[in-house]
Amino acid sequence: MDRKSILALVLIGVVIILWPLYIQMVTPVPSLPLQNSKSDNNFLPKKDSVVGKSITEVKRDSIETKIATAGKKVSEKLEVEKIITIRTGSFTAKISNKGGGTIRYWGLNKYHSVDGKSVNFVKGSHNLNVNLNYQNTNLNLESAFFQASTNDSIIEISKEGKFQISYVLPVDGKQIIQTLTFYGEGYTFDFDVEFKNFGDDVSSGEYYLQWKSGLVGTEKDIVTEQANTQSIAYLGEEKEELDPSEESAEKKFSGTTKWLASRTMYFMVAMIPLDKDGIGCTLSGRNSGSIKENYLSLNMKFEPNRKDRFKFYIGPMDYDNLKELNDNLTVLMEWGWAIIRPISRAILLTFKFLYGIIPNYGWVVIVFALIVKIVLYPLTYKTFTGMRKMKEVMPRQQALQKKFKDNPAKMQQEMMKLYKEAGYNPLSGCLPMLLQMPLLFPIYQIFSQSIDLRQAPFFGWISDLSVPDTIATLHTGLPFIGDFNINPLPIVMTIFTFLQQKIAPMAPMGDASDPAQRFNQKFMMYGMPILFFFLFNNYSSGLVLYWTMFNVFTVAQQLVMEKYIKAK
């Protein structure tokens, strides 16, 4: 392999290196876990909250809640904040009458945080909210206590069942009615809002459906998770994003708004108007370095005595779920650059198909690596035989180099003839590896963001294919190194990469006594395995498993081809 070939491989390695470095550059290293963060953004009024408590715990003395409405005051006598628990096969939710449906808790039964508890990425103090300008005064409903349509405290919903609860708030002889409908399967609920007997009291002619809190982190790797935390709006046929890189940021949009969403690495909240589109929206957020939060506000045209319907999705970033809910929601899945997105989707579909046969994603990765190796076999075989032929004619090449050393153009011409006679392409040794690169990047995206592979175990110490298989950490204290993770899979990968280079029939592209050529050979033999070790050491164990097994199959394939060719 000549210098150009080595340079090509080095450039590929540089691209792989720069990707995680870029992620770290655009996402400051947090100093605090998200679960302990507190929001002080002006978008969020500071209110007392009750999170995950039982009804008996939230009882309080009789209070008078007053809501300012155009110089008048509406009073309600309240003795208790009423929280109802909704249990389905997919989630457990606690819903409060405060705000007319504030979500105090939303736990996903199938998914777990690093502490082993059900994933709850919703902040219970404030989230779902309706806001409007009533008689030139802002009417913010998140602190208002609504009257619930049921006194039940726990509701169990069967797989085919559903449950509906309405919250009513009197305002100057009028009513604001918010109705939530929950289903026994899936991660959605319907949210209806109706302004009954309202006339021209809403001065702006619009109201706002809001999600007023950031999402709680669920992963151990906070840096990577925050790099994937953002809010998104779908206006017309265009996706608009907000990823706050400063302390606070805000983007306002006008026009047909199909949906809004806020996402983390694996989970998301989306609100989708059903009967009519929104007329604009605001994406806002903040990034303090230790936390990144995004907030949503959907502008809706105000129409009195009309029920506006919305669908909320609070669940995993699952491609099938999003496609079934709204085909446009699949743009939330970050599959990398546009050129590799179709490959990423194809690989994920292949993984899911294989998982239906082999219910272990570790074995799915191994089988997938074998399939790729079989598909590339004709090219690998041709490359292998070509390199052996070139090795045989090496004395003729060296003779040409000496004969035409003062005429480089003629030497190049004669050497190309020699390559053609031998059936050898100087770059053919790199082709199998180069063809792997379009697969490595999509596989990296899949293992980093696919909910199917999150916490997917293989065997032994490999308990999660979406993260490195770390068994110990060395606290070096060295600059630019810091803590160094000891991961067995990259070590195994490095050994087989070395074996692959050792048995490959490489022929030097020049005088074997030339120091530059000797350096090239040593670099390919020792430098490439070491380079790949440091490249892959902090990548997901699923990606490293794929590359390791690909190298294992390559070594086995080379040994078989060597024996076959000698037998001929």
Side-chain angles (χ1 to χ4, degrees):
M1 186 176 294
D2 60 11
R3 289 184 178 182
K4 291 183 179 180
S5 303
I6 295 175
L7 179 60
L9 287 174
V10 172
L11 290 177
I12 292 169
V14 170
V15 171
I16 300 176
I17 291 173
L18 289 182
W19 177 254
L21 291 179
Y22 170 75
I23 292 298
Q24 294 183 14
M25 288 173 60
V26 300
T27 307
V29 178
S31 57
L32 295 173
L34 291 178
Q35 287 84 345
N36 296 330
S37 64
K38 295 183 179 180
S39 174
D40 59 0
N41 192 280
N42 292 332
F43 189 87
L44 306 175
K46 296 180 180 179
K47 299 289 181 182
D48 294 335
S49 64
V50 181
V51 184
K53 296 183 179 180
S54 65
I55 290 179
T56 56
E57 291 178 302
V58 298
K59 287 186 177 180
R60 61 189 68 179
D61 296 334
S62 177
I63 62 173
E64 186 179 68
T65 300
K66 298 183 178 181
I67 304 173
T69 57
K72 300 178 182 179
K73 291 186 178 179
V74 178
S75 299
E76 293 182 277
K77 293 283 186 176
L78 297 173
E79 295 182 354
V80 65
E81 178 184 11
K82 296 181 179 179
I83 295 178
I84 184 171
T85 300
I86 310 292
R87 293 175 181 167
T88 75
S90 302
F91 63 86
T92 299
K94 294 180 183 291
I95 311 299
S96 172
N97 66 323
K98 189 175 182 180
T102 298
I103 301 171
R104 295 301 193 201
Y105 173 84
W106 190 279
L108 306 183
N109 300 339
K110 182 180 176 182
Y111 303 98
H112 300 87
S113 300
V114 292
D115 59 2
K117 297 180 181 179
S118 295
V119 163
N120 172 31
F121 58 98
V122 173
K123 288 187 176 181
S125 55
H126 40 250
N127 38 68
L128 178 58
N129 181 60
V130 173
N131 188 297
L132 67 157
N133 198 336
Y134 176 72
Q135 295 182 359
N136 298 317
T137 300
N138 181 57
L139 185 60
N140 193 335
L141 303 182
E142 74 168 348
S143 60
F145 288 86
F146 287 64
Q147 181 180 354
S149 61
T150 180
N151 290 321
D152 293 336
S153 59
I154 298 177
I155 299 295
E156 303 271 357
I157 308 177
S158 64
K159 185 176 180 179
E160 303 298 330
K162 68 177 182 179
F163 171 75
Q164 187 174 88
I165 182 171
S166 294
Y167 293 101
V168 180
L169 179 69
V171 180
D172 281 351
K174 309 171 182 63
Q175 289 183 327
I176 299 176
I177 306 173
Q178 298 179 184
T179 303
L180 289 78
T181 305
F182 298 91
Y183 300 90
E185 189 174 21
Y187 302 95
T188 65
F189 68 90
D190 296 337
F191 179 82
D192 304 341
V193 59
E194 180 181 3
F195 301 93
K196 199 168 184 178
N197 299 324
F198 280 73
D200 299 327
D201 304 299
V202 178
S203 53
S204 63
E206 61 185 36
Y207 68 96
Y208 312 97
L209 180 62
Q210 301 172 327
W211 186 268
K212 302 186 66 175
S213 72
L215 303 182
V216 179
T218 59
E219 307 307 308
K220 185 177 181 180
D221 185 354
I222 303 175
V223 173
T224 303
E225 182 171 39
Q226 291 214 58
N228 291 281
T229 298
Q230 59 181 180
S231 55
I232 304 98
Y234 200 76
L235 291 92
E237 298 299 325
E238 297 292 332
K239 182 177 75 167
E240 301 290 347
E241 301 178 357
L242 176 70
D243 186 3
S245 57
E246 301 177 356
E247 184 174 347
S248 62
E250 182 178 270
K251 285 185 179 181
K252 293 186 177 182
F253 305 94
S254 60
T256 302
T257 306
K258 300 292 186 180
W259 50 259
L260 301 182
S262 181
R263 60 160 292 179
T264 60
M265 189 169 179
Y266 292 111
F267 303 98
M268 59 170 285
V269 170
M271 50 189 190
I272 310 163
L274 296 180
D275 296 330
K276 63 180 183 183
D277 294 326
I279 58 176
C281 66
T282 300
L283 304 179
S284 58
R286 71 190 190 98
N287 185 350
S288 67
S290 60
I291 58 173
K292 181 193 291 185
E293 294 189 325
N294 296 284
Y295 321 115
L296 313 172
S297 182
L298 176 65
N299 303 18
M300 297 296 299
K301 182 179 179 181
F302 176 80
E303 296 179 79
N305 301 313
R306 171 195 168 100
K307 183 182 292 186
D308 289 340
R309 299 173 57 244
F310 304 86
K311 186 173 288 290
F312 276 76
Y313 178 89
I314 308 178
M317 294 275 298
D318 183 271
Y319 183 84
D320 293 333
N321 288 353
L322 300 186
K323 188 174 181 63
E324 181 180 354
L325 182 61
N326 186 312
D327 189 55
N328 292 327
L329 280 171
T330 56
V331 301
L332 289 165
M333 305 293 290
E334 293 292 343
W335 297 121
W337 304 307
I339 193 172
I340 68 171
R341 287 172 192 164
I343 302 175
S344 299
R345 286 193 288 267
I347 293 175
L348 180 61
L349 291 175
T350 303
F351 277 14
K352 287 188 173 183
F353 171 77
L354 293 174
Y355 186 77
I357 303 173
I358 313 169
N360 183 298
Y361 273 111
W363 288 109
V364 166
V365 169
I366 293 174
V367 171
F368 181 78
L370 179 60
I371 292 174
V372 173
K373 197 63 196 172
I374 292 173
V375 171
L376 294 178
Y377 173 75
L379 178 62
T380 305
Y381 181 78
K382 185 177 180 180
T383 300
F384 187 86
T385 54
M387 293 178 72
R388 283 189 60 86
K389 290 178 181 178
M390 190 59 212
K391 196 171 183 178
E392 294 172 0
V393 298
M394 193 63 204
R396 293 174 57 190
Q397 175 185 311
Q398 293 174 347
L400 290 173
Q401 289 172 334
K402 291 180 180 180
K403 182 177 180 181
F404 298 104
K405 64 180 180 179
D406 296 326
N407 190 347
K410 182 65 175 177
M411 180 178 64
Q412 185 68 20
Q413 182 180 1
E414 292 298 322
M415 288 182 65
M416 293 306 296
K417 289 181 181 179
L418 179 62
Y419 295 157
K420 188 175 181 179
E421 291 177 8
Y424 175 70
N425 185 337
L427 295 178
S428 61
C430 300
L431 284 179
M433 185 176 292
L434 291 176
L435 289 175
Q436 281 298 294
M437 293 306 163
L439 295 179
L440 280 178
F441 288 111
I443 293 174
Y444 170 83
Q445 294 290 338
I446 289 172
F447 276 102
S448 298
Q449 299 191 36
S450 174
I451 191 68
D452 300 279
L453 300 170
R454 177 183 181 267
Q455 297 181 353
F458 182 27
F459 76 93
W461 75 95
I462 308 175
S463 58
D464 187 351
L465 289 169
S466 67
V467 299
D469 60 320
T470 303
I471 59 173
T473 301
L474 295 178
H475 305 287
T476 66
L478 298 176
F480 307 106
I481 297 180
D483 294 343
F484 185 81
N485 294 327
I486 299 176
N487 306 318
L489 269 181
I491 297 174
V492 176
M493 179 203 71
T494 301
I495 293 172
F496 276 94
T497 303
F498 172 77
L499 290 176
Q500 178 186 345
Q501 298 297 327
K502 185 75 173 177
I503 67 176
M506 288 191 298
M509 300 302 298
D511 187 356
S513 62
D514 185 357
Q517 294 300 327
R518 290 201 302 269
F519 172 80
N520 290 345
Q521 292 293 315
K522 288 183 178 180
F523 177 81
M524 292 304 301
M525 183 71 69
Y526 304 105
M528 285 299 296
I530 295 173
L531 173 63
F532 272 82
F533 169 78
F534 285 103
L535 290 179
F536 281 82
N537 191 53
N538 288 318
Y539 284 162
S540 65
S541 55
L543 177 65
V544 181
L545 176 64
Y546 166 78
W547 190 249
T548 300
M549 294 310 302
F550 189 84
N551 287 336
V552 170
F553 294 141
T554 299
V555 170
Q557 189 180 62
Q558 288 177 344
L559 292 175
V560 171
M561 288 189 299
E562 181 77 23
K563 184 176 181 181
Y564 173 75
I565 292 175
K566 286 182 178 180
K568 291 179 63 176

